[in-house]
């Protein structure tokens, strides 16, 4: 499966192959006439399936298998750490509030290096969450970024 994932990425790294993939997608479920030379990598990767009449179409199950394999190679998320902030603003603020409570006391003023270390215990995206804490008004910082403290 690793080889198929590499074949898929190799195919999509090539401009002509991306165009071919797009053309096959536009062709829909009925497929488009196959082109053995152009389709070789995409078929080998499992992204295209060959139909009995010589046409090819996108293979949803093949793409899902590649995605599942790629996900399976990721290291598991450390238990309890925030990996992504919610998009919904209310939930985002709730998560950021909990993170802010966990990393900064009410009257505490700490350098960025210390804040980063504390955030590292709570989140995976340290700079992104640090920025979000400031942007959402939960944490303030000196203009030069030297020190951070809790607001409200």
């Amino acid at each position: 499966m690793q080889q198929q994932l590499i074949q898929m990425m190799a195919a999509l790294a090539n401009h002509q192959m991306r165009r071919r993939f797009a053309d096959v997608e536009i062709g829909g479920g009925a497929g488009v006439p196959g082109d053995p030379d152009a389709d070789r990598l995409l078929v080998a990767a499992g992204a295209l399936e060959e139909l009995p009449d010589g046409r090819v179409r996108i293979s949803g199950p093949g793409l899902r298998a590649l995605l599942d394999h790629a996900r399976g190679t990721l290291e598991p998320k450390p238990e309890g750490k925030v990996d992504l902030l919610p998009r919904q603003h209310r939930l985002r603020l709730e998560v950021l509030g909990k993170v802010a409570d966990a990393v900064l006391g009410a009257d505490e003023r700490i350098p960025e290096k210390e804040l980063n270390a504390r955030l590292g215990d709570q989140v995976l995206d340290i700079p992104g969450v640090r920025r979000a804490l400031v942007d959402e008004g939960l944490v303030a910082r000196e203009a030069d970024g030297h020190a951070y403290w809790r607001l409200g």
Side-chain angles (χ1 to χ4, degrees):
M1 185 59 73
Q2 186 71 21
Q3 185 61 32
Q4 288 174 302
L5 189 57
I6 291 169
Q7 289 168 321
M8 179 67 181
M9 298 314 299
L12 294 178
N14 178 289
H15 173 72
Q16 290 174 331
M17 296 298 291
R18 283 193 309 272
R19 182 176 302 276
R20 175 65 178 164
F21 191 74
D23 290 342
V24 174
E25 174 60 25
I26 290 168
V32 299
D35 178 341
D37 291 333
D39 300 337
R40 182 180 52 79
L41 278 177
L42 292 168
V43 169
L48 293 184
E49 61 181 307
E50 296 174 301
L51 301 173
D53 64 356
R55 299 169 77 75
V56 293
R57 67 178 172 200
I58 303 292
S59 172
L63 290 175
R64 279 189 289 283
L66 288 170
L67 178 59
D68 288 344
H69 176 73
R71 284 181 175 153
T73 63
L74 295 175
E75 290 185 28
K77 178 183 94 165
E79 198 61 38
K81 286 193 179 189
V82 174
D83 58 345
L84 292 173
L85 292 174
R87 290 184 185 201
Q88 187 180 15
H89 192 250
R90 179 184 58 79
L91 295 175
R92 182 181 179 89
L93 286 177
E94 186 178 313
V95 169
L96 286 170
K98 288 178 183 177
V99 170
D101 288 342
V103 298
L104 275 170
D107 296 325
E108 197 171 18
R109 187 180 184 96
I110 61 174
E112 182 175 314
K113 186 174 183 176
E114 175 66 20
L115 179 62
N116 289 344
R118 292 180 186 185
L119 283 171
D121 292 336
Q122 302 292 318
V123 304
L124 296 179
D125 179 9
I126 294 168
V129 171
R130 186 184 63 232
R131 190 174 315 110
L133 288 167
V134 172
D135 290 348
E136 294 292 351
L138 297 168
V139 171
R141 62 179 268 226
E142 289 183 9
D144 64 0
H146 181 72
Y148 290 78
W149 61 93
R150 185 73 201 266
L151 292 174

